Coordinates of all heavy atoms in Angstrom, one line a residue:
L1489 N -4.2 2.6 -11.9 CA -5.5 2.6 -11.2 C -6.1 1.2 -11.3 O -6.7 0.7 -10.4 CB -6.4 3.7 -11.7 CG -7.7 3.8 -11.1 CD1 -7.6 4.2 -9.6 CD2 -8.6 4.9 -11.8
L1490 N -6.0 0.6 -12.5 CA -6.6 -0.7 -12.7 C -6.0 -1.7 -11.7 O -6.8 -2.5 -11.1 CB -6.4 -1.2 -14.2 CG -6.9 -2.6 -14.5 CD1 -8.4 -2.6 -14.3 CD2 -6.5 -3.0 -15.9
Y1491 N -4.7 -1.8 -11.6 CA -4.1 -2.8 -10.7 C -4.5 -2.5 -9.3 O -4.8 -3.5 -8.5 CB -2.6 -2.7 -10.9 CG -1.9 -3.7 -9.9 CD1 -1.9 -5.0 -10.1 CD2 -1.2 -3.2 -8.8 CE1 -1.2 -5.9 -9.3 CE2 -0.6 -4.1 -7.9 CZ -0.6 -5.4 -8.1 OH 0.0 -6.3 -7.3
T1492 N -4.6 -1.3 -8.9 CA -5.0 -1.0 -7.5 C -6.4 -1.4 -7.2 O -6.7 -1.9 -6.2 CB -4.8 0.6 -7.3 OG1 -3.5 0.9 -7.6 CG2 -5.1 0.9 -5.8
Q1493 N -7.3 -1.1 -8.2 CA -8.7 -1.6 -8.0 C -8.8 -3.1 -8.0 O -9.6 -3.6 -7.2 CB -9.5 -1.0 -9.2 CG -11.0 -1.3 -9.0 CD -11.6 -0.7 -7.7 OE1 -11.5 0.5 -7.5 NE2 -12.2 -1.5 -6.9
M1494 N -8.0 -3.8 -8.9 CA -8.1 -5.2 -8.9 C -7.6 -5.8 -7.5 O -8.2 -6.8 -7.0 CB -7.2 -5.8 -10.0 CG -7.8 -5.6 -11.4 SD -6.7 -6.1 -12.8 CE -5.7 -7.4 -12.2
M1495 N -6.6 -5.2 -6.9 CA -6.1 -5.7 -5.6 C -7.2 -5.4 -4.5 O -7.4 -6.3 -3.7 CB -4.8 -5.0 -5.2 CG -3.6 -5.5 -6.0 SD -3.4 -7.3 -5.9 CE -3.3 -7.6 -4.2
S1496 N -7.8 -4.3 -4.6 CA -8.9 -4.0 -3.7 C -10.0 -5.0 -3.8 O -10.5 -5.6 -2.8 CB -9.4 -2.6 -3.9 OG -10.5 -2.3 -3.0
D1497 N -10.4 -5.4 -5.0 CA -11.4 -6.4 -5.2 C -11.0 -7.8 -4.8 O -11.7 -8.5 -4.3 CB -11.8 -6.4 -6.7 CG -12.5 -5.1 -7.2 OD1 -12.9 -4.3 -6.4 OD2 -12.5 -4.9 -8.4
A1498 N -9.7 -8.1 -5.0 CA -9.2 -9.4 -4.6 C -9.2 -9.6 -3.1 O -9.4 -10.7 -2.6 CB -7.7 -9.5 -5.1
Y1499 N -9.0 -8.6 -2.3 CA -9.1 -8.7 -0.9 C -10.5 -9.2 -0.4 O -10.5 -10.1 0.4 CB -8.8 -7.4 -0.1 CG -7.4 -6.9 -0.3 CD1 -7.2 -5.5 -0.4 CD2 -6.3 -7.7 -0.2 CE1 -5.8 -5.0 -0.5 CE2 -5.0 -7.3 -0.3 CZ -4.8 -5.9 -0.4 OH -3.5 -5.5 -0.5
Q1500 N -11.5 -8.7 -1.0 CA -12.9 -9.2 -0.7 C -13.0 -10.6 -1.1 O -13.7 -11.4 -0.4 CB -13.9 -8.3 -1.3 CG -15.3 -8.7 -0.9 CD -15.6 -8.6 0.6 OE1 -15.3 -7.7 1.2 NE2 -16.2 -9.7 1.1
L1501 N -12.5 -11.0 -2.3 CA -12.6 -12.4 -2.8 C -11.9 -13.4 -1.9 O -12.4 -14.4 -1.6 CB -12.1 -12.5 -4.2 CG -12.9 -11.7 -5.3 CD1 -12.2 -11.8 -6.6 CD2 -14.3 -12.3 -5.4
W1502 N -10.7 -13.0 -1.4 CA -10.0 -13.8 -0.4 C -10.8 -14.0 0.9 O -10.8 -15.1 1.4 CB -8.6 -13.2 -0.1 CG -7.6 -13.5 -1.1 CD1 -7.0 -12.7 -2.0 CD2 -7.0 -14.8 -1.4 NE1 -6.1 -13.3 -2.8 CE2 -6.0 -14.6 -2.4 CE3 -7.1 -16.1 -0.8 CZ2 -5.3 -15.7 -2.9 CZ3 -6.4 -17.1 -1.3 CH2 -5.5 -16.9 -2.4
F1503 N -11.3 -12.9 1.3 CA -12.1 -12.9 2.6 C -13.3 -13.9 2.4 O -13.6 -14.7 3.3 CB -12.6 -11.5 2.9 CG -13.6 -11.5 4.1 CD1 -13.1 -11.6 5.4 CD2 -14.9 -11.3 3.9 CE1 -13.9 -11.6 6.5 CE2 -15.8 -11.3 5.0 CZ -15.3 -11.4 6.3
D1504 N -14.0 -13.8 1.3 CA -15.1 -14.7 1.0 C -14.7 -16.1 1.0 O -15.4 -17.0 1.5 CB -15.8 -14.3 -0.3 CG -16.5 -12.9 -0.2 OD1 -16.7 -12.4 0.9 OD2 -16.8 -12.4 -1.3
L1505 N -13.6 -16.4 0.3 CA -13.1 -17.8 0.2 C -12.7 -18.3 1.6 O -13.0 -19.5 1.9 CB -11.9 -17.8 -0.8 CG -11.4 -19.2 -1.1 CD1 -12.4 -20.1 -1.7 CD2 -10.2 -19.1 -2.1
E1506 N -12.0 -17.5 2.4 CA -11.7 -17.9 3.7 C -12.9 -18.3 4.5 O -12.9 -19.2 5.3 CB -10.8 -16.8 4.4 CG -9.4 -16.7 3.9 CD -8.7 -15.6 4.6 OE1 -9.2 -14.6 5.0 OE2 -7.4 -15.8 4.6
K1507 N -13.9 -17.4 4.4 CA -15.2 -17.7 5.1 C -15.8 -19.0 4.7 O -16.3 -19.8 5.5 CB -16.1 -16.5 4.9 CG -17.3 -16.5 5.8 CD -18.1 -15.2 5.6 CE -19.4 -15.3 6.4 NZ -20.2 -14.1 6.2
E1508 N -15.8 -19.2 3.4 CA -16.4 -20.4 2.9 C -15.6 -21.7 3.3 O -16.2 -22.7 3.7 CB -16.4 -20.3 1.3 CG -17.0 -21.5 0.6 CD -16.9 -21.4 -0.9 OE1 -17.3 -20.3 -1.4 OE2 -16.5 -22.3 -1.6
E1509 N -14.3 -21.6 3.3 CA -13.4 -22.7 3.7 C -13.2 -22.9 5.2 O -12.8 -23.9 5.6 CB -12.1 -22.6 3.0 CG -12.2 -22.7 1.5 CD -12.8 -24.1 1.0 OE1 -12.4 -25.1 1.6 OE2 -13.6 -24.0 0.1
G1510 N -13.5 -21.8 5.9 CA -13.3 -21.9 7.4 C -11.9 -21.9 7.9 O -11.6 -22.4 8.9
E1511 N -11.0 -21.3 7.0 CA -9.6 -21.2 7.4 C -8.9 -20.1 6.8 O -9.4 -19.6 5.7 CB -8.8 -22.5 7.1 CG -8.7 -22.8 5.6 CD -8.0 -24.1 5.4 OE1 -6.7 -24.1 5.6 OE2 -8.6 -25.1 5.0
Q1512 N -7.8 -19.6 7.4 CA -7.1 -18.5 6.8 C -6.3 -19.0 5.6 O -5.5 -19.9 5.7 CB -6.2 -17.9 7.9 CG -5.4 -16.7 7.3 CD -4.5 -16.0 8.4 OE1 -4.2 -16.6 9.4 NE2 -4.1 -14.8 8.1
L1513 N -6.5 -18.3 4.5 CA -5.8 -18.6 3.2 C -4.9 -17.5 2.8 O -4.0 -17.7 1.9 CB -6.8 -19.0 2.1 CG -7.8 -20.1 2.5 CD1 -8.9 -20.1 1.4 CD2 -7.0 -21.4 2.5
F1514 N -5.1 -16.3 3.3 CA -4.4 -15.1 2.8 C -3.9 -14.3 4.0 O -4.6 -14.1 4.9 CB -5.3 -14.3 1.9 CG -4.7 -13.0 1.5 CD1 -3.8 -13.0 0.4 CD2 -5.1 -11.8 2.0 CE1 -3.3 -11.8 0.0 CE2 -4.5 -10.6 1.6 CZ -3.6 -10.6 0.5
V1515 N -2.6 -14.0 4.0 CA -2.1 -13.1 5.1 C -1.8 -11.8 4.4 O -0.9 -11.6 3.6 CB -0.8 -13.7 5.6 CG1 -0.2 -12.8 6.7 CG2 -1.0 -15.1 6.2
R1516 N -2.5 -10.8 4.9 CA -2.3 -9.4 4.4 C -1.2 -8.8 5.1 O -1.1 -8.7 6.3 CB -3.6 -8.6 4.6 CG -3.6 -7.3 3.8 CD -5.0 -6.7 4.0 NE -5.1 -5.5 3.2 CZ -6.1 -4.8 3.0 NH1 -7.3 -5.2 3.5 NH2 -6.1 -3.7 2.3
C1517 N -0.2 -8.3 4.3 CA 0.9 -7.5 4.9 C 1.0 -6.2 4.2 O 0.4 -5.9 3.2 CB 2.2 -8.4 4.8 SG 2.7 -8.7 3.1
S1518 N 1.9 -5.4 4.7 CA 2.0 -4.1 4.1 C 3.2 -4.1 3.1 O 4.0 -5.0 3.0 CB 2.3 -3.0 5.1 OG 2.6 -3.4 6.3
G1519 N 3.2 -3.0 2.4 CA 4.3 -2.8 1.4 C 4.8 -1.4 1.6 O 4.2 -0.5 2.2
L1520 N 6.0 -1.1 1.1 CA 6.6 0.2 1.2 C 7.0 0.7 -0.2 O 7.9 0.0 -0.8 CB 7.8 0.2 2.2 CG 8.4 1.5 2.5 CD1 7.4 2.4 3.3 CD2 9.7 1.3 3.4
Y1521 N 6.4 1.7 -0.6 CA 6.7 2.3 -1.9 C 7.2 3.6 -1.7 O 6.6 4.5 -1.0 CB 5.4 2.3 -2.8 CG 5.6 2.7 -4.2 CD1 6.0 1.8 -5.2 CD2 5.4 4.0 -4.6 CE1 6.2 2.1 -6.5 CE2 5.6 4.4 -5.9 CZ 5.9 3.5 -6.9 OH 6.1 3.8 -8.2
F1522 N 8.4 3.9 -2.2 CA 9.0 5.2 -1.9 C 9.7 5.8 -3.1 O 10.1 5.1 -4.0 CB 9.9 5.1 -0.7 CG 11.0 4.1 -0.9 CD1 12.2 4.5 -1.4 CD2 10.9 2.8 -0.4 CE1 13.3 3.6 -1.5 CE2 11.9 1.9 -0.5 CZ 13.1 2.3 -1.1
G1523 N 9.9 7.1 -3.1 CA 10.6 7.8 -4.1 C 10.5 9.3 -3.9 O 9.9 9.8 -2.9
D1524 N 11.0 10.0 -4.9 CA 11.0 11.5 -4.8 C 9.5 11.9 -4.9 O 8.7 11.4 -5.7 CB 11.7 12.1 -6.0 CG 11.9 13.6 -5.8 OD1 10.9 14.3 -5.9 OD2 13.0 14.0 -5.4
E1525 N 9.1 12.9 -4.0 CA 7.7 13.2 -3.9 C 7.2 13.9 -5.2 O 6.0 13.9 -5.5 CB 7.4 14.2 -2.8 CG 8.2 15.5 -2.8 CD 8.0 16.3 -1.5 OE1 7.0 16.0 -0.8 OE2 8.8 17.2 -1.2
T1526 N 8.1 14.3 -6.1 CA 7.7 14.9 -7.4 C 7.7 13.9 -8.5 O 7.3 14.2 -9.7 CB 8.6 16.1 -7.8 OG1 9.9 15.6 -8.0 CG2 8.5 17.2 -6.7
D1527 N 8.1 12.6 -8.2 CA 8.2 11.6 -9.3 C 6.8 11.2 -9.7 O 5.9 11.0 -8.9 CB 8.9 10.4 -8.7 CG 9.0 9.3 -9.7 OD1 8.0 8.6 -10.0 OD2 10.2 9.1 -10.2
P1528 N 6.5 11.2 -11.0 CA 5.2 10.9 -11.6 C 4.6 9.6 -11.1 O 3.4 9.4 -10.9 CB 5.3 11.0 -13.1 CG 6.5 11.9 -13.3 CD 7.4 11.6 -12.1
S1529 N 5.5 8.6 -11.0 CA 5.0 7.3 -10.6 C 4.6 7.2 -9.1 O 3.6 6.6 -8.7 CB 6.0 6.1 -10.9 OG 7.1 6.3 -10.1
V1530 N 5.3 8.0 -8.3 CA 4.9 8.1 -6.9 C 3.6 8.8 -6.8 O 2.7 8.4 -6.0 CB 6.0 8.8 -6.1 CG1 5.6 9.1 -4.7 CG2 7.3 8.0 -6.1
Q1531 N 3.4 9.9 -7.5 CA 2.2 10.7 -7.5 C 1.0 9.9 -8.0 O -0.1 9.9 -7.5 CB 2.4 12.0 -8.3 CG 3.3 13.0 -7.6 CD 3.6 14.2 -8.5 OE1 3.2 14.2 -9.7 NE2 4.2 15.2 -7.9
A1532 N 1.3 9.1 -9.1 CA 0.2 8.3 -9.6 C -0.2 7.2 -8.7 O -1.4 6.8 -8.6 CB 0.7 7.6 -11.0
T1533 N 0.8 6.6 -8.0 CA 0.4 5.6 -7.0 C -0.4 6.1 -5.9 O -1.4 5.5 -5.5 CB 1.7 4.9 -6.4 OG1 2.5 4.3 -7.5 CG2 1.4 3.9 -5.4
E1534 N 0.0 7.3 -5.4 CA -0.8 7.9 -4.3 C -2.2 8.2 -4.8 O -3.2 8.0 -4.1 CB -0.1 9.1 -3.7 CG -0.9 9.7 -2.6 CD -0.1 10.8 -1.9 OE1 0.7 11.6 -2.6 OE2 -0.2 11.0 -0.6
K1535 N -2.3 8.8 -6.0 CA -3.6 9.1 -6.6 C -4.5 7.9 -6.7 O -5.7 7.9 -6.4 CB -3.5 9.8 -7.9 CG -4.8 10.3 -8.5 CD -4.6 11.0 -9.8 CE -5.9 11.5 -10.4 NZ -7.1 10.8 -10.2
A1536 N -3.9 6.8 -7.1 CA -4.7 5.5 -7.3 C -5.2 5.0 -5.9 O -6.4 4.6 -5.9 CB -3.8 4.4 -7.9
L1537 N -4.4 5.1 -4.9 CA -4.9 4.8 -3.6 C -6.0 5.6 -3.1 O -7.0 5.2 -2.5 CB -3.7 4.8 -2.6 CG -2.6 3.8 -2.8 CD1 -1.4 4.1 -2.0 CD2 -3.1 2.4 -2.5
I1538 N -5.9 6.9 -3.4 CA -7.0 7.9 -3.0 C -8.2 7.6 -3.8 O -9.3 7.5 -3.2 CB -6.5 9.3 -3.2 CG1 -5.4 9.7 -2.2 CG2 -7.7 10.3 -3.1 CD1 -4.7 11.0 -2.5
D1539 N -8.1 7.4 -5.1 CA -9.2 7.2 -6.0 C -10.0 5.9 -5.6 O -11.2 5.8 -5.8 CB -8.8 7.2 -7.4 CG -8.4 8.5 -7.9 OD1 -8.6 9.5 -7.2 OD2 -7.8 8.6 -9.1
T1540 N -9.3 4.9 -5.2 CA -9.9 3.6 -4.8 C -10.3 3.5 -3.3 O -10.7 2.5 -2.9 CB -9.0 2.4 -5.2 OG1 -7.7 2.6 -4.6 CG2 -8.9 2.3 -6.7
Q1541 N -10.0 4.6 -2.6 CA -10.3 4.7 -1.2 C -9.6 3.6 -0.4 O -10.2 3.1 0.6 CB -11.8 4.7 -1.0 CG -12.5 5.9 -1.6 CD -14.0 5.9 -1.5 OE1 -14.6 5.0 -1.0 NE2 -14.6 7.1 -1.8
L1542 N -8.4 3.2 -0.8 CA -7.7 2.2 0.0 C -6.9 3.0 1.1 O -6.3 4.0 0.8 CB -6.7 1.4 -0.9 CG -7.4 0.4 -1.8 CD1 -6.4 -0.2 -2.8 CD2 -8.0 -0.7 -1.0
P1543 N -6.8 2.4 2.2 CA -6.0 3.1 3.3 C -4.5 3.0 3.0 O -4.0 2.0 2.5 CB -6.4 2.3 4.6 CG -6.8 0.9 4.0 CD -7.4 1.2 2.7
Y1544 N -3.8 4.1 3.3 CA -2.4 4.1 3.1 C -1.8 5.1 4.1 O -2.6 6.0 4.6 CB -2.0 4.4 1.7 CG -2.1 5.8 1.3 CD1 -1.0 6.7 1.3 CD2 -3.4 6.3 0.9 CE1 -1.2 8.0 0.9 CE2 -3.5 7.6 0.5 CZ -2.4 8.5 0.5 OH -2.6 9.8 0.2
E1545 N -0.5 5.1 4.3 CA 0.1 6.0 5.2 C 1.2 6.7 4.4 O 2.0 6.0 3.8 CB 0.7 5.3 6.4 CG 1.3 6.1 7.4 CD 1.8 5.3 8.6 OE1 1.9 4.1 8.5 OE2 2.1 6.0 9.6
R1546 N 1.2 8.0 4.4 CA 2.3 8.8 3.7 C 3.3 9.2 4.7 O 2.9 9.9 5.7 CB 1.7 10.0 3.0 CG 2.6 10.8 2.1 CD 1.9 11.9 1.5 NE 2.4 12.3 0.2 CZ 3.1 13.4 0.0 NH1 3.4 14.2 1.0 NH2 3.5 13.7 -1.2
L1547 N 4.6 8.9 4.5 CA 5.6 9.2 5.5 C 6.7 10.1 4.8 O 7.1 9.8 3.7 CB 6.3 7.9 6.0 CG 5.3 6.9 6.6 CD1 6.1 5.6 6.9 CD2 4.7 7.4 7.9
N1548 N 7.2 11.0 5.6 CA 8.3 11.8 5.1 C 9.6 11.0 5.5 O 9.5 9.9 6.1 CB 8.4 13.2 5.6 CG 8.5 13.3 7.1 OD1 9.1 12.4 7.8 ND2 7.9 14.3 7.7
A1549 N 10.8 11.5 5.1 CA 12.0 10.8 5.4 C 12.2 10.5 6.8 O 12.6 9.3 7.2 CB 13.2 11.6 4.8
A1550 N 12.0 11.4 7.7 CA 12.2 11.2 9.1 C 11.2 10.2 9.7 O 11.6 9.3 10.5 CB 12.1 12.5 9.9
E1551 N 10.0 10.3 9.3 CA 9.0 9.3 9.7 C 9.3 7.9 9.2 O 9.1 6.9 10.0 CB 7.6 9.7 9.3 CG 7.1 11.0 9.9 CD 5.9 11.6 9.2 OE1 5.7 11.4 7.9 OE2 5.1 12.3 9.8
T1552 N 9.8 7.8 8.0 CA 10.1 6.5 7.5 C 11.3 5.9 8.3 O 11.3 4.7 8.6 CB 10.5 6.6 6.0 OG1 9.5 7.2 5.2 CG2 10.9 5.3 5.4
R1553 N 12.3 6.7 8.6 CA 13.4 6.2 9.3 C 13.0 5.7 10.7 O 13.5 4.7 11.2 CB 14.5 7.3 9.4 CG 15.8 6.7 10.2 CD 16.9 7.7 10.2 NE 17.4 7.8 8.9 CZ 18.6 8.4 8.6 NH1 19.3 8.9 9.6 NH2 19.0 8.4 7.4
E1554 N 12.1 6.5 11.3 CA 11.6 6.1 12.7 C 10.8 4.8 12.6 O 11.0 3.9 13.5 CB 10.7 7.2 13.2 CG 10.3 6.9 14.7 CD 9.5 8.1 15.2 OE1 9.8 9.3 14.9 OE2 8.5 7.8 15.9
K1555 N 10.0 4.6 11.7 CA 9.2 3.4 11.6 C 9.9 2.2 11.0 O 9.7 1.1 11.3 CB 7.9 3.7 10.8 CG 6.9 2.7 10.8 CD 5.5 3.1 10.3 CE 4.5 2.1 10.5 NZ 3.1 2.5 10.2
Y1556 N 10.8 2.5 10.0 CA 11.5 1.5 9.3 C 13.0 1.9 9.3 O 13.5 2.4 8.3 CB 11.0 1.3 7.8 CG 9.6 1.1 7.7 CD1 8.7 2.1 7.4 CD2 9.0 -0.2 7.9 CE1 7.3 1.9 7.3 CE2 7.7 -0.4 7.8 CZ 6.8 0.6 7.5 OH 5.5 0.3 7.4
P1557 N 13.7 1.6 10.4 CA 15.1 2.1 10.6 C 16.1 1.6 9.4 O 17.1 2.3 9.2 CB 15.5 1.4 11.9 CG 14.3 1.1 12.6 CD 13.2 0.8 11.5
A1558 N 15.8 0.6 8.7 CA 16.7 0.2 7.6 C 16.6 1.1 6.4 O 17.5 1.0 5.6 CB 16.3 -1.3 7.2
F1559 N 15.6 1.9 6.3 CA 15.4 2.8 5.2 C 15.9 4.2 5.5 O 15.5 4.8 6.5 CB 14.0 2.8 4.7 CG 13.5 1.5 4.1 CD1 13.0 0.5 4.9 CD2 13.7 1.2 2.7 CE1 12.6 -0.7 4.3 CE2 13.3 0.0 2.2 CZ 12.8 -1.0 3.0
H1560 N 16.7 4.8 4.6 CA 17.2 6.1 4.8 C 16.9 6.9 3.6 O 17.6 6.9 2.6 CB 18.7 6.1 5.1 CG 19.1 5.3 6.3 ND1 19.1 5.9 7.5 CD2 19.4 4.0 6.4 CE1 19.5 4.9 8.4 NE2 19.7 3.8 7.8
L1561 N 15.7 7.6 3.6 CA 15.3 8.3 2.4 C 15.9 9.7 2.4 O 16.3 10.3 3.4 CB 13.8 8.5 2.4 CG 12.9 7.3 2.5 CD1 11.4 7.6 2.4 CD2 13.3 6.3 1.4
G1562 N 16.0 10.3 1.2 CA 16.5 11.6 1.0 C 15.5 12.6 1.5 O 14.3 12.3 1.7
P1563 N 15.9 13.9 1.6 CA 15.0 14.9 2.1 C 13.8 15.2 1.2 O 12.7 15.6 1.8 CB 15.9 16.2 2.1 CG 17.0 15.9 1.3 CD 17.2 14.4 1.2
N1564 N 13.8 14.9 0.0 CA 12.6 15.1 -0.9 C 11.9 13.8 -1.2 O 11.0 13.8 -2.0 CB 13.1 15.7 -2.2 CG 13.6 17.1 -2.0 OD1 13.1 17.8 -1.1 ND2 14.5 17.5 -2.9
Q1565 N 12.3 12.7 -0.5 CA 11.6 11.5 -0.7 C 10.5 11.2 0.3 O 10.6 11.7 1.4 CB 12.6 10.3 -0.7 CG 13.6 10.4 -1.9 CD 14.5 9.2 -1.9 OE1 15.1 8.8 -0.8 NE2 14.7 8.6 -3.0
I1566 N 9.5 10.5 -0.2 CA 8.4 10.1 0.7 C 8.2 8.6 0.5 O 8.7 7.9 -0.4 CB 7.1 10.8 0.3 CG1 6.7 10.6 -1.1 CG2 7.2 12.3 0.6 CD1 5.3 11.1 -1.5
A1567 N 7.5 8.0 1.5 CA 7.1 6.6 1.4 C 5.7 6.5 1.7 O 5.1 7.3 2.3 CB 7.9 5.8 2.5

């Protein structure tokens, strides 16, 4: 939870610095975190995103394959 909150706070700091400098300094991109939906680290990551109110998208195996064709998750895996 601490790391997730720090990243959320850092986004605002980057935005403020870019405004002050008048140029883009940070390019925000997405990440893909995946694993078995019952894995404690996957559950903890999702909980941290919910607790910090950060936007995220939860995908099942079929949705992941459609959006990211290079990834082939198992039937119990989520991204």
